[in-house]
Structure formats: structure tokens, C-alpha cells
Amino acid sequence: MMMSGDSETRGRLNSPVIYLAGAGTGKTHQLVEDFYAALVECDFDPTRLLALTFTENAASEMRERIRRKLLMERGSVALPLAQELVIGTIHSFCRAELSRHALLAALSPQFTVLDESESQALMRRTLLAILINRFNSESRRAESTLVREAGFNSYFRSSEYGVSLEDEILRLYRQLRAQGVTDFEELVLDVADCHWRDAREELVLAAHNVLAVSPEEMGGKSAGKLAGFQAMLRQHLPELESLRADRSGFYRLSELASSINLRGSEAYRSLLAPLKNEIVPLCQRQILQRCMPAVRDELLGILVALDHDLEEEKAARNVLDFEDLQLRFLRLLQEHPEVAQRYRKRLARVFVDEFQDTNLLQVTLIDMLAGPDAQYLVGDPKQAIYAFRHADPRGIVRKREAFSSQGGIVRELQANYRSRPEILRFVNEFFRRLEGNEGGVPMGFSYEEVHAATSFASKEDPSVELVCLPAGKNCELGAEERRQAEARWVAGYLREVVERGLIRRTREGESGTLGYGDFAVLMRRNRSIPVFEEALASAGVPFVSEASSGFLQTPEIAAMSDLLQLLLTPKVDVLTAQVP
């Protein structure tokens, strides 16, 4: 199986390469073929190539497929070579390189890495100590602009907006680190350079512009959506015209932004997107700049203290967290340009899989290790799933634009070798509506349809079914009851299908009747798992639960691990609270 552009890629190893490849389009095959071609070009010197991905499982699969390719092309003589290839996650690569340059990075060579639960517990404990020390009395809380203006009170929770000061600070701290911030004392908030009155006038002008448009100009469902928004906007227009630059005004703007739904026609999106994405944020920045500088300064002070105390604690214990691996390696490259230059000179090609899951820090690292001509990126913005870890799928869109302007190789793999045509038609229709003119939202890229490249045996039962449960204001079921109803329906459906004895059909033809082991139930959140477990058990459906946290992160195993760690290092009191 050869993909389009394969020979071109082999012939232009000194050009930027980016493949936009959806699931099942053979992107791993393409990457393996081009990795081998680059290895041949480098006279089989494994130190000249680096391949990075985002999970250990993906790295293992990539390593195994490249090993098989080497054995197929070179025989058993290639086995030692396969062992020397540098293929792994970004975190594992950074850890190995920090160990190699530990003294230059001001680290002990024996440093260890905290797991995620230890790291989060350490952050939370350290921040809580800072907050308690700062706000340990009514008078000190009354003096705090952050507590007063942001509406945080007992136990630092906002009674008005239901958010925790502790959680908000930790969220901001993690987000800034994911953007590559290493020196919080040098951190400066980026604020607008206009004045509050100018910003408010621009907001009111934009509102009047929206009200001046006739809904009929939108067409279709967008006409009704615009009419509804205009009615709401007309009702609140006096509030906008007299909006004050204070906490109340800030949250009124947040409510306005959240009420703007950008799913609609191109004309509808073009009308409302500037209001939601540009003008409202501009006004909010002005409020922070004009009336809440004390909040900003106090927040920065807490962030500096948090980072300082965490660094002291980790240094005393000779540990790093996962983000430290990337931050400390980036700092090493920035503070020692000669080291960065050695990497750039050595690495002929850096391959990065699942590039849509990178954050700004990781993109910066990759750019430090290799110039554009040495970068080979593979990804799919539709498969971005790590926003909660501050990944930015727009990064792959920006890289595509940059590589295209530099004369690089930009390819989209659209032939799907995995899925039935019926499934692909559903996927195409879904993304066409999501990104297109009919109820779409801006995604930063144009959706290109995928098509089936493999034939399947015909079948009568549908490949895609959409089941809708009651919801909305008129629904009598609460969220938990709807989840239970959904679980009962899934359990009943699985039992019915298995008892009917439906035939399992593959690309090769029929292969026996369907059993319970042929089904998988995916959930958005782990907290839904117990509900489905109960429903499946009640229906007599056998199942195996696999939470994404894995065996080592289950409460029982984590508690035992913490206990053993406590026995080994009794001074580490951060673990004490986790041991039952």
C-alpha cells in the first residue's frame, strides 16, 4: 500500500513535511515508510532520527512497526540497529536527555518523576498553605482585593459564581506552564492598549450593528437564531450602554459571550464572531487593566509564591513532575544555545505523530530541536482530545500554512482503509455540518471528505444508529436519571443483538455470530462507568471495565503504592493524607 506523495517525500528529505491524516487512512504506514527512507538516507545512523508521539502505547506500536520494516528490508542484521532507534513520548525523551545533561541542567542525576496524583496533591497542598497564610483572618480577607472583587469568601469559594479560588489559580498555573512560562517573576499580563470608554463604545456599536441586520438575510435556521439573540440583546442594550468597569460588568460580559452560539450560516457567524471573540474579550481586558490592577498584582504574587514553594519542595526531594521534564529541558536549550545547536546539527529529521495534541510548550521544544526543514509532522485536528491538558489543535493548522508557504510537502490522506462506507458517510456529513455553512462553527481548517478504500460484505443492519433521550427544559428526568435511562437502553440493546444471533461481517466475509466481546461502550467521563456497570449487571450482560486511569492508578493500588513510598521516605508528608 503506497500513499500519494510517497516518492516525493523520499526525494525531498530536506523539506518540511506535514500529513493531515484521519483515522484509518494509513498514516502510521506512511510514517514508517518515510522513517525507513530517512534512515537509508542517513546511512542507517539511528542517532540522526527522532520519532515522538504522545502515549507509551503509540510509541510502542511505532517502534514495533519500524522494527518489522527493518527486519523485512535488512534481515536479522538490523536487530541491533532497531534497538538504538530513539522512538518515544515527548516526556520520555525529555527525561532521558535531562539525565544525560543533568549537571548542566542543575539537576541531580538521580532525580525521580512524580506521578500525576502525587504532583496534583503537592500543588494543591502548597497552594492551600499559601492561601491560608495570606487570608487567615477576616481582616486580612477584607483587605484582599482578590477576595473582595472576585467575590471569593468562605474557604475561598465564590458563592455567586460557584468557583473555587484554589481551583482557578491551579488551572491558571498549569495553563501558563503548558505555554512555556518558567519564570513567574517575569510574567506580565497582556492587556489592551485602548481605554475603557472606547472599548465600551465599540461594544455598543457592535450590538447596534447586530440589531440592524434583518434575520431574513441569514436564511434557514440561522434566521430564527438571530431573531432570538436580537430580542435578548435589545432587552439588555441599556445595561451595555451604562456598563461599569467592575466585577459585575466583567461577569455581565461573560454572560453575553456565553449566550452567543456561533453555529449557523457563514453570514451569521461573520456577524456574531467579532462580538464574541474580539470585542467582549477586549472589554474584559480593559476592566482588568482599569479597575482590577490590584487583583492582577495579587494574583501574580500568589503565582510567584506557588512556583517558588513548589520548586523548593521538589528540589529538596529531588523530584520533578511531568511538566518539569519539558520545562527544564526547554530551559536547558535556551540557556545553553550550544546544546540546542548540537541537537539541530545532529538530527536530520524529527518525526512527530498526533501533532494536533501538542501545546505551545511542546511546539517550542520541537522548534528548538529541529528547524522547519527537518520537521515531519502527522496529525488530524478533528482528533484533538487533549484540550484539558492545554493542547492547541490550531498549532497543526498554523504549521500547515507555514510549511505550504515555505514550499514544503503538505498532503491530506483521505482514503480510509478501516471503516465501512456507511460509517464514513456519517462522519463526512457530521463534519460537513459542523464546519460548513449549515449550523457550523469555525474550526480553522476546511473539512476534506474521506472515502472508503476497502470493500466490505453487504449487510442489512445499519452501521450507525442515533438514539435520542428526552432532554431540555420540558424533560421530567434529571441528569442522573437520563444517564441511568441511557445505560439501561444500551444494556438492553446489547442483549437483544446477541440473542438475535446476528452475523459478524468483516472485509473477508462472515466470521460467526456476534458475542458480547465484539462490543465496546465508550463514555465521556469515568464517573458514568458505575451507572453502566449496574445496568449491564442487571441485564445479565457480562462486561469488563477499563477506566482510562489504568491499573496502577486504581484507588487500591495507588494507596498501596503511597504506603510503600511513605515507608521508604517517611519525611514525605504529602503522601500521608492519601494513605487510608
Side-chain angles (χ1 to χ4, degrees):
M1 178 174 65
M2 296 294 288
M3 303 296 152
S4 62
D6 181 72
S7 60
E8 183 180 9
T9 303
R10 293 183 183 209
R12 298 179 62 185
L13 289 175
N14 294 322
S15 298
V17 176
I18 186 166
Y19 276 93
L20 299 177
T25 56
K27 66 183 180 68
T28 305
H29 172 87
Q30 181 73 56
L31 190 149
V32 169
E33 292 293 320
D34 290 340
F35 187 97
Y36 180 78
L39 195 57
V40 171
E41 189 76 10
C42 294
D43 296 324
F44 293 95
D45 181 356
T47 65
R48 302 293 310 283
L49 303 180
L50 169 64
L52 300 173
T53 188
F54 287 86
T55 67
E56 293 293 348
N57 287 340
S60 297
E61 180 188 357
M62 188 190 304
R63 192 180 299 112
E64 176 59 23
R65 293 182 69 161
I66 291 175
R67 186 186 72 86
R68 289 203 301 265
K69 176 69 176 178
L70 279 169
L71 288 175
M72 183 179 68
E73 299 287 347
R74 305 278 294 178
S76 59
V77 69
L79 280 176
L81 176 63
Q83 297 298 321
E84 297 180 42
L85 296 174
V86 184
I87 302 170
T89 66
I90 291 183
H91 291 97
S92 65
F93 171 74
C94 290
R95 181 174 187 170
E97 297 308 300
L98 281 175
S99 297
R100 185 173 290 111
H101 300 287
L103 297 181
L104 201 58
L107 292 170
S108 165
Q110 287 78 39
F111 72 84
T112 57
V113 181
L114 297 171
D115 64 32
E116 192 67 20
S117 61
E118 284 183 294
S119 173
Q120 297 305 317
L122 177 59
M123 280 188 190
R124 193 167 291 276
R125 183 196 68 163
T126 304
L127 177 58
L128 191 58
I130 292 171
L131 294 178
I132 290 174
N133 183 58
R134 283 177 177 252
F135 309 127
N136 60 3
S137 68
E138 287 291 340
S139 60
R140 298 188 70 171
R141 285 195 290 273
E143 293 170 0
S144 166
T145 310
L146 180 61
V147 172
R148 185 177 62 254
E149 292 295 336
F152 292 100
N153 40 47
S154 83
Y155 263 90
F156 319 117
R157 183 170 295 277
S158 169
S159 57
E160 185 175 356
Y161 300 103
V163 293
S164 161
L165 178 61
E166 183 184 345
D167 288 339
E168 288 298 293
I169 292 176
L170 287 176
R171 180 191 60 78
L172 179 59
Y173 181 68
R174 287 191 288 263
Q175 182 176 356
L176 290 169
R177 297 182 84 214
Q179 292 175 357
V181 175
T182 58
D183 189 348
F184 281 81
E185 292 187 354
E186 297 296 323
L187 183 64
V188 177
L189 286 181
D190 180 21
V191 293
D193 57 2
C194 68
H195 298 289
W196 166 246
R197 289 182 181 276
D198 296 334
R200 187 175 61 186
E201 287 178 6
E202 189 171 350
L203 172 69
V204 173
L205 178 61
H208 280 289
N209 289 339
V210 170
L211 292 173
V213 175
S214 171
E216 284 70 24
E217 296 180 25
M218 300 295 106
K221 296 180 180 179
S222 296
K225 292 178 66 174
L226 179 60
F229 178 72
Q230 286 177 329
M232 183 277 294
L233 189 60
R234 227 175 259 111
Q235 180 182 354
H236 294 284
L237 187 60
E239 295 179 21
L240 296 180
E241 292 174 337
S242 59
L243 196 68
R244 296 175 62 85
D246 55 16
R247 178 168 62 95
S248 176
F250 186 91
Y251 284 105
R252 290 291 172 269
L253 289 167
S254 296
E255 291 169 357
L256 173 62
S258 64
S259 69
I260 302 176
N261 185 342
L262 292 181
R263 292 177 181 267
S265 66
E266 182 66 30
Y268 176 84
R269 295 203 310 265
S270 299
L271 178 66
L272 295 182
L275 181 61
K276 181 183 180 76
N277 298 330
E278 299 172 18
I279 299 173
V280 168
L282 171 67
C283 292
Q284 289 183 314
R285 288 197 298 270
Q286 278 301 306
I287 292 177
L288 290 175
Q289 182 187 37
R290 175 184 170 88
C291 298
M292 302 179 74
V295 171
R296 177 196 60 197
D297 295 342
E298 194 172 357
L299 181 59
L300 285 175
I302 293 175
L303 290 171
V304 169
L306 173 61
D307 189 63
H308 175 270
D309 291 357
L310 279 172
E311 290 301 309
E312 277 198 346
E313 175 80 10
K314 288 183 286 190
R317 294 171 52 186
N318 194 27
V319 297
L320 300 176
D321 59 33
F322 280 106
E323 207 70 84
D324 285 326
L325 295 174
Q326 300 174 130
L327 288 166
R328 296 298 287 267
F329 186 50
L330 177 61
R331 185 188 302 174
L332 171 69
L333 298 178
Q334 291 173 334
E335 294 180 353
H336 299 277
E338 72 282 2
V339 176
Q341 188 58 35
R342 284 202 297 269
Y343 281 107
R344 282 194 165 220
K345 186 176 180 180
R346 188 191 87 200
L347 293 172
R349 180 68 91 190
V350 174
F351 295 80
V352 186
D353 196 12
E354 308 295 356
F355 190 79
Q356 76 278 355
D357 291 326
T358 54
N359 57 35
L360 180 59
L361 168 59
Q362 292 161 340
V363 172
T364 305
L365 263 175
I366 293 165
D367 288 341
M368 291 286 289
L369 291 170
D373 289 347
Q375 293 182 18
Y376 183 113
L377 312 178
V378 178
D380 178 14
K382 300 186 301 302
Q383 297 185 66
I385 59 173
Y386 285 107
F388 67 98
R389 291 183 180 174
H390 312 295
D392 184 3
R394 293 173 299 180
I396 193 170
V397 177
R398 289 191 288 265
K399 283 289 187 181
R400 180 187 65 178
E401 294 171 352
F403 285 9
S404 180
S405 65
Q406 294 163 12
I409 298 175
V410 179
R411 293 288 179 267
E412 295 191 11
L413 302 183
Q414 297 159 327
N416 184 287
Y417 296 85
R418 180 185 302 164
S419 303
R420 296 185 65 91
E422 304 95 318
I423 294 176
L424 297 181
R425 283 198 295 271
F426 170 78
V427 171
N428 286 332
E429 182 65 19
F430 178 84
F431 277 101
R432 188 189 307 117
R433 288 178 177 272
L434 183 67
E435 196 277 337
N437 291 334
E438 298 183 28
V441 293
M443 296 169 65
F445 65 95
S446 297
Y447 178 68
E448 299 292 337
E449 292 191 359
V450 292
H451 58 272
T454 306
S455 60
F456 289 80
S458 61
K459 65 187 186 76
E460 296 179 2
D461 291 279
S463 295
V464 179
E465 291 185 64
L466 181 63
V467 179
C468 299
L469 293 172
K473 295 181 179 179
N474 297 324
C475 177
E476 297 179 357
L477 297 178
E480 186 62 27
E481 292 173 312
R482 289 200 302 273
R483 190 178 294 114
Q484 292 171 353
E486 180 183 0
R488 288 193 298 270
W489 185 91
V490 169
Y493 174 83
L494 293 176
R495 181 165 182 168
E496 177 191 353
V497 168
V498 172
E499 290 179 348
R500 283 170 58 194
L502 292 183
I503 302 299
R504 185 173 187 268
R505 302 181 187 277
T506 66
R507 282 173 288 190
E508 293 76 26
E510 298 181 358
S511 62
T513 57
L514 286 169
Y516 289 116
D518 293 312
F519 295 89
V521 180
L522 305 180
M523 277 154 277
R524 185 179 179 186
R525 295 183 177 89
N526 281 348
R527 68 187 184 194
S528 298
I529 291 178
V531 178
F532 278 79
E533 288 177 335
E534 181 178 352
L536 292 169
S538 298
V541 176
F543 63 89
V544 175
S545 293
E546 293 188 4
S548 60
S549 55
F551 174 75
L552 294 177
Q553 281 71 48
T554 56
E556 298 83 358
I557 300 303
M560 180 59 69
S561 175
D562 290 344
L563 180 58
L564 293 174
Q565 179 73 14
L566 183 63
L567 293 174
L568 288 171
T569 53
K571 293 184 179 180
V572 183
D573 58 347
V574 68
L575 295 170
T576 307
Q578 301 181 52
V579 178

Coordinates of all heavy atoms in Angstrom, one line a residue, residues 86 147 176 203 241 252 291 320 326 368 399 437 463 481 514 527 550 557 574:
V86 N 15.7 6.1 18.5 CA 15.1 6.9 19.5 C 13.6 7.2 19.2 O 13.3 8.0 18.3 CB 15.8 8.2 19.7 CG1 15.2 9.0 20.9 CG2 17.3 8.0 19.9
V147 N -10.0 38.7 47.0 CA -11.2 38.1 47.6 C -12.4 39.0 47.5 O -13.5 38.5 47.2 CB -10.8 37.8 49.1 CG1 -12.1 37.4 49.9 CG2 -9.7 36.8 49.3
L176 N -0.3 28.3 32.3 CA 0.9 29.1 32.0 C 2.1 28.2 31.8 O 2.9 28.5 30.9 CB 1.1 30.1 33.1 CG 0.1 31.2 33.2 CD1 0.2 32.0 34.5 CD2 0.2 32.2 32.0
L203 N -18.2 48.1 21.9 CA -19.2 47.1 22.2 C -20.6 47.5 21.8 O -21.3 46.7 21.2 CB -19.1 46.8 23.7 CG -20.1 45.8 24.3 CD1 -19.9 44.4 23.8 CD2 -20.1 45.8 25.8
E241 N -25.0 49.9 27.5 CA -24.7 51.3 27.3 C -24.2 51.9 28.6 O -23.4 52.9 28.5 CB -25.9 52.0 26.7 CG -26.2 51.6 25.3 CD -27.5 52.2 24.8 OE1 -28.4 52.6 25.7 OE2 -27.7 52.3 23.6
R252 N -21.1 40.3 33.5 CA -22.2 40.5 32.5 C -21.6 40.2 31.1 O -22.3 39.7 30.2 CB -22.7 41.9 32.6 CG -23.4 42.2 33.9 CD -24.8 41.5 33.9 NE -25.4 41.7 35.2 CZ -25.3 40.8 36.2 NH1 -24.5 39.7 36.1 NH2 -25.9 41.0 37.4
C291 N -9.7 48.7 36.4 CA -10.3 48.7 37.7 C -9.8 47.5 38.6 O -10.2 47.5 39.8 CB -11.8 48.6 37.6 SG -12.5 50.1 36.8
L320 N 10.9 15.8 40.0 CA 10.3 16.6 39.0 C 8.9 16.1 38.7 O 8.6 14.9 38.9 CB 11.1 16.6 37.7 CG 12.5 17.1 37.8 CD1 13.2 16.9 36.4 CD2 12.6 18.5 38.2
Q326 N 9.6 18.8 30.5 CA 9.6 19.6 29.3 C 10.2 21.0 29.6 O 11.0 21.5 28.8 CB 8.2 19.7 28.7 CG 7.6 18.4 28.4 CD 6.2 18.5 27.9 OE1 5.8 17.9 26.9 NE2 5.3 19.1 28.7
M368 N 12.9 24.1 18.8 CA 14.3 24.3 19.3 C 15.2 23.1 18.8 O 16.4 23.3 18.6 CB 14.3 24.3 20.8 CG 13.7 25.6 21.4 SD 14.8 27.1 21.2 CE 16.1 26.7 22.3
K399 N 1.1 25.3 11.3 CA 2.2 24.6 10.7 C 1.9 24.3 9.2 O 2.8 24.4 8.4 CB 2.5 23.3 11.5 CG 3.3 23.5 12.8 CD 4.7 23.9 12.5 CE 5.5 24.0 13.8 NZ 6.9 24.4 13.6
N437 N -21.5 25.6 6.2 CA -22.4 26.7 6.3 C -23.7 26.4 7.0 O -24.4 27.2 7.5 CB -22.8 27.2 4.9 CG -21.6 27.8 4.2 OD1 -20.7 28.3 4.9 ND2 -21.6 27.8 2.9
S463 N -25.2 0.5 10.1 CA -23.9 0.7 10.7 C -23.8 1.8 11.7 O -23.0 1.9 12.6 CB -22.8 0.9 9.7 OG -22.7 -0.2 8.8
E481 N -30.9 10.6 36.2 CA -31.9 9.7 35.7 C -31.8 9.5 34.2 O -32.0 8.4 33.7 CB -33.3 10.3 36.0 CG -33.7 10.3 37.5 CD -35.0 11.1 37.7 OE1 -35.1 12.2 37.2 OE2 -35.8 10.5 38.5
L514 N -22.2 -12.6 16.5 CA -21.7 -11.6 17.4 C -21.8 -12.1 18.8 O -22.9 -12.6 19.2 CB -22.5 -10.3 17.2 CG -22.2 -9.5 15.9 CD1 -23.2 -8.4 15.8 CD2 -20.8 -8.9 16.0
R527 N -16.9 8.9 35.6 CA -17.9 8.8 36.6 C -19.2 8.1 36.1 O -20.1 7.8 36.9 CB -18.2 10.2 37.2 CG -18.9 11.1 36.2 CD -19.0 12.5 36.8 NE -19.8 13.4 36.0 CZ -19.8 14.7 36.1 NH1 -19.1 15.3 37.1 NH2 -20.5 15.5 35.3
G550 N -6.1 3.4 34.3 CA -5.2 2.3 34.3 C -5.1 1.6 35.7 O -5.5 2.1 36.7
I557 N -4.6 0.2 44.4 CA -3.1 0.1 44.1 C -2.4 1.4 44.4 O -1.3 1.4 44.9 CB -3.0 -0.2 42.6 CG1 -3.7 -1.6 42.3 CG2 -1.5 -0.3 42.2 CD1 -3.2 -2.7 43.1
V574 N 3.5 14.7 52.1 CA 2.5 15.0 51.1 C 1.7 13.7 50.8 O 0.5 13.8 50.4 CB 3.1 15.6 49.8 CG1 3.9 14.5 49.1 CG2 1.9 16.0 48.9

